[in-house]
Amino acid sequence: MIREVEELSNRQMRAWPQLAKGVEGLARANTRRVRIDWFDIFIRHIPHRVASTTAPVDRESVAKRPCFLCAENLPAEEEGVQFGQDFMIYCNPFPIVDHHLTIAHREHRLQRIANQVRKYVGPCCGSAWIFRHL
């Protein structure tokens, strides 16, 4: 699986200008470490994400936009790899970390990966995210 995802990432960087631009933008991001008590917090300013982070998220605005996770709405250049029977892994064109991936259910539905697939526990890996596939 790791090899497949690495190959996907390499192919997508060559074939998908939006992803290449996002990765380039991340490389120019400003990161600052702040120590709070016994742990470090990393604050990152990523200017290329401004359109994404400032988009209206009220119910009406979101309802007007096509779902960016549904296969029929993906850019023509975007590819994914199958993850289990029900999920796809995609490269995130607006990365906040290196090798930022998105795992999406094949159906337009509540996105919940917990308890549906075996968790991969590795460096820099989140165990589960919950969001609406809107």
Side-chain angles (χ1 to χ4, degrees):
M1 171 63 48
I2 292 172
R3 182 178 54 76
E4 289 178 76
V5 171
E6 287 174 348
E7 289 172 357
L8 171 71
S9 180
N10 291 334
R11 271 195 323 275
Q12 290 285 261
M13 281 292 294
R14 288 189 305 271
W16 190 15
Q18 185 178 21
L19 176 64
K21 183 179 176 184
V23 171
E24 180 183 313
L26 179 63
R28 291 191 316 266
N30 297 313
T31 303
R32 181 168 47 121
R33 184 176 68 183
V34 176
R35 168 119 3 227
I36 299 178
D37 293 329
W38 62 92
F39 58 94
D40 292 329
I41 299 289
F42 292 88
I43 300 169
R44 184 171 265 182
H45 174 60
I46 312 172
H48 77 278
R49 287 189 49 90
V50 71
S52 176
T53 58
T54 60
V57 292
D58 61 278
R59 187 179 299 267
E60 184 179 334
S61 296
V62 171
K64 290 179 183 176
R65 292 193 295 263
C67 177
F68 60 86
L69 295 175
C70 285
E72 63 269 16
N73 300 325
L74 297 178
E77 305 91 350
E78 189 168 4
E79 301 175 27
V81 293
Q82 190 167 331
F83 183 51
Q85 292 181 7
D86 298 322
F87 294 90
M88 293 295 291
I89 297 176
Y90 300 104
C91 296
N92 190 314
F94 300 101
I96 60 172
V97 295
D98 291 332
H99 308 291
H100 188 163
L101 302 172
T102 298
I103 302 173
H105 199 282
R106 291 177 176 271
E107 298 174 7
H108 181 82
R109 60 179 231 159
L110 179 66
Q111 297 293 289
R112 184 172 299 213
I113 195 170
N115 301 319
Q116 295 194 37
V117 296
R118 289 188 190 136
K119 293 179 184 175
Y120 167 74
V121 180
C124 303
C125 178
S127 60
W129 295 295
I130 300 172
F131 54 93
R132 278 212 182 265
H133 192 167
L134 295 173

